[in-house]
Amino acid sequence: MIIEPSQIDADELSCQVCIIGAGAAGIALALELGKQRLDVVLVSGGGHEQSASDRKLYEGSIDPANPHEPLEENRHRAFGGSTKRWGGRLVPYEPIDFEQRDFVPLSGWPIAFEDVASRFTQSAKWCEVVAEDFHRTSRPSDSDLPNTLGGGAIETTPCERWSTPTDFGKHYRRALEEMDSVRVLIDYHAVDLRLDDDRARVESVKLVCRRGRAMRVRAKVFILAAGGLENPRILLASRSQIASGVGNHSDMVGRCYMSHLAGTHGRIALERPDKPPFYRFQKDRQGAYARRRFRLSDEAQHRNRVMNVIGFPYRPAIEDPSHGDAALSTLWLQEALLKGSGQRISWSAIGRHLGNVALNTPVAWLNVARQIGARARSPRLPFILPHNARAQDALFFQAEQAPNPASRLTLSDEVDEFGMPRIRPQVRFSQVDYDTVTTFYRELDRALRAERLGCIEYDERELIDAMIASTKNFNSMAHHLGTTRMSSNPELGVVDSDCRVHSVGNLYVSGGSVFPTSGHANPTLTVLALALRLAEHVAQQLRPAVVADGALV
């Protein structure tokens, strides 16, 4: 059932499991545990839609010397969390991401890849995708790219799939309304975890709201599922009993903050008259979009002592009218003129974009209509690509960021309206982060030339300068990882292999904050896989009879 603040007149609630955070992980956990008739309270730190005052709760304290996008920019404080505004990209983590690599500090997960991979199919279903496979081999054809390039250095079979994208708050609302074993508290905000006298277990969490009374929730098990920035914030801010915060036994809460090093640089120039099928979005039998990508192989990563990285053809900067593409200019005009971009728009830019729209051919106009129409339907076309028939497009890359204890979140002296300290991000990159991207460009260029397929047109010095500039104007893309990292050694992390806080017997953490390494992949699919694994573990702890052969029954 879903409960509004006006419907509660108690100072205290009790349950078996209290889940703090109602995004993808929190909603999946609540429904999985609720199916087992466990008494669950799910706390949504916002209303059904994000209000201006709730958005302000996400604001951080940005140090000009440590740039980061505004912390409220890529998050959504409402029932459904960031799924209310995500793009829908589903990408699996890979076996190498779980390995201990001597050239990647603090690498190695304390669980096996199969512990997560066995749940990818179910995770995709939560996002309304039937994941048949995340690798697609090309059919033998002169028109497509080979499955591997450059003697195996580059793979072209890794595949990303796309959700509709699913808004978990809307899509799963009815299921939660009809589930008597789950109570969803709307617009309540967690501000303090209260421990027992031995500081060994959480007794309760303090919740506050604007339209109702503050209260405490008592539970046997507590799960933080509030996201990669709020999970550490709640732990660090719960310092009424321990000055350093709950779970911060080794000063690791907030450390090893990771995202991905990503950007668009250079061009793919293939020696062929048209674009190969590799470039195109394809639909599976359920209508979901999928697309292949270039990936630096495991062998090439080990040989070059660099990390995981992918790339794919992408559009040029949409705001630059020199791309000459009607679809891109139409999209820019829509964003700039109809929706408002928040920036001053020159008449010269408007005129040049209008020229792109007016002067294109009828075939290009058909492409404009097709792509913009596909962006409005469900499942939504992920993004618009240029129409130009030549196989020359910008190259987008997304690479792993190495764990670095100096890259961290701390509490500032500023507080929000509920007295919660705001967080201050300090993002740090390592040399291996930059080496990974430059190696990928070199290997991809070498592979295309060796196969006589084309090349990557770029300048390595300009690529390095562009990466450094992006880290000095950092944007996380909503990939907030590693801040309550999983480790077998309590001194090197916050949670154990079951996602339980090392120093607290009944407190668990769910989400990308527990990832020991970032991989190249968008985190949602793996976040859900770990949430499903955690649901099985918690059910086993509370009701052992409901779990058989490692799965809920």
Side-chain angles (χ1 to χ4, degrees), residues 82-261:
S82 295
T83 66
K84 302 191 81 65
R85 59 179 299 177
W86 70 311
R89 182 182 266 129
L90 299 174
V91 188
Y93 273 53
E94 297 164 327
I96 195 170
D97 298 323
F98 289 70
E99 292 180 9
Q100 196 283 319
R101 295 161 282 172
D102 62 1
F103 48 91
V104 183
L106 296 173
S107 60
W109 291 48
I111 59 176
F113 168 70
E114 183 55 32
D115 290 338
V116 176
S118 61
R119 296 169 174 87
F120 282 153
T121 297
Q122 187 181 359
S123 300
K125 288 180 180 178
W126 277 92
C127 302
E128 301 178 89
V129 171
V130 178
E132 298 164 341
D133 193 6
F134 282 97
H135 282 265
R136 284 193 170 182
T137 56
S138 62
R139 296 177 180 176
S141 167
D142 292 337
S143 67
D144 206 355
L145 299 183
N147 294 328
T148 60
L149 304 172
I154 299 294
E155 301 170 349
T156 69
T157 58
C159 177
E160 61 189 18
R161 292 178 174 272
W162 294 77
S163 172
T164 51
T166 304
D167 177 337
F168 275 56
K170 289 184 178 178
H171 189 74
Y172 293 106
R173 178 171 177 168
R174 175 171 291 184
L176 288 164
E177 285 176 335
E178 295 175 351
M179 188 168 282
D180 292 338
S181 57
V182 177
R183 288 170 284 176
V184 182
L185 306 186
I186 295 294
D187 209 9
Y188 273 89
H189 308 268
V191 296
D192 182 55
L193 296 170
R194 188 71 183 178
L195 303 173
D196 62 13
D197 292 340
D198 295 329
R199 310 294 194 266
R201 297 178 66 83
V202 177
E203 283 191 338
S204 65
V205 58
K206 181 180 179 180
L207 306 180
V208 296
C209 71
R210 301 182 186 90
R211 295 175 295 146
R213 60 202 303 172
M215 66 175 176
R216 289 196 172 271
V217 175
R218 297 183 179 273
K220 293 181 179 179
V221 169
F222 292 84
I223 303 175
L224 285 180
L229 301 183
E230 293 303 295
N231 284 344
R233 182 187 183 190
I234 293 170
L235 290 172
L236 291 171
S238 297
R239 49 191 179 184
S240 59
Q241 295 167 285
I242 301 175
S244 61
V246 170
N248 201 21
H249 48 276
S250 56
D251 190 31
M252 288 298 290
V253 174
R255 291 191 183 272
C256 295
Y257 174 35
M258 302 172 291
S259 181
H260 294 109
L261 192 56

Side-chain angles (χ1 to χ4, degrees), residues 206-441:
K206 181 180 179 180
L207 306 180
V208 296
C209 71
R210 301 182 186 90
R211 295 175 295 146
R213 60 202 303 172
M215 66 175 176
R216 289 196 172 271
V217 175
R218 297 183 179 273
K220 293 181 179 179
V221 169
F222 292 84
I223 303 175
L224 285 180
L229 301 183
E230 293 303 295
N231 284 344
R233 182 187 183 190
I234 293 170
L235 290 172
L236 291 171
S238 297
R239 49 191 179 184
S240 59
Q241 295 167 285
I242 301 175
S244 61
V246 170
N248 201 21
H249 48 276
S250 56
D251 190 31
M252 288 298 290
V253 174
R255 291 191 183 272
C256 295
Y257 174 35
M258 302 172 291
S259 181
H260 294 109
L261 192 56
T264 304
H265 187 81
R267 289 197 315 162
I268 305 171
L270 299 184
E271 295 177 356
R272 57 200 314 156
D274 56 5
K275 294 181 179 178
F278 173 87
Y279 271 58
R280 294 194 291 266
F281 285 108
Q282 298 174 321
K283 284 188 175 182
D284 62 20
R285 287 177 293 179
Q286 287 72 38
Y289 284 99
R291 193 176 190 227
R292 291 159 59 197
R293 299 163 298 152
F294 297 113
R295 175 180 175 267
L296 191 65
S297 68
D298 290 2
E299 183 277 330
Q301 290 181 47
H302 281 288
R303 171 164 45 84
N304 290 285
R305 297 178 66 78
V306 296
M307 301 181 296
N308 218 342
V309 54
I310 57 93
F312 51 80
Y314 196 57
R315 65 192 185 200
I318 194 171
E319 67 275 7
D320 183 356
S322 64
H323 53 63
D325 187 82
L328 298 185
S329 285
T330 301
L331 185 63
W332 181 86
L333 288 165
Q334 178 188 25
E335 294 289 333
L337 300 180
L338 300 182
K339 296 184 179 179
S341 65
Q343 299 179 352
R344 295 183 64 184
I345 306 299
S346 71
W347 285 109
S348 173
I350 293 172
R352 292 180 67 190
H353 281 288
L354 286 171
N356 288 341
V357 174
L359 297 176
N360 261 280
T361 65
V363 173
W365 267 109
L366 288 174
N367 181 65
V368 171
R370 179 182 60 82
Q371 293 206 63
I372 291 178
R375 285 286 291 174
R377 294 192 296 269
S378 179
R380 188 177 68 192
L381 180 71
F383 51 80
I384 289 178
L385 289 169
H387 169 68
N388 64 81
R390 295 172 302 154
Q392 295 186 12
D393 283 294
L395 177 62
F396 179 89
F397 65 86
Q398 185 162 301
E400 184 172 0
Q401 180 184 355
N404 183 344
S407 185
R408 66 184 303 196
L409 306 173
T410 57
L411 299 181
S412 75
D413 293 331
E414 300 176 28
V415 297
D416 65 20
E417 66 173 286
F418 296 128
M420 281 283 285
R422 300 194 184 277
I423 47 178
R424 176 184 291 112
Q426 299 175 350
V427 187
R428 298 288 186 274
F429 289 85
S430 308
Q431 186 60 45
V432 68
D433 302 331
Y434 303 112
D435 291 345
T436 295
V437 178
T438 56
T439 298
F440 173 64
Y441 269 72

Side-chain angles (χ1 to χ4, degrees), residues 518-534:
S518 69
H520 69 70
N522 294 47
T524 303
L525 191 71
T526 302
V527 164
L528 283 167
L530 285 172
L532 298 175
R533 180 176 180 268
L534 177 56

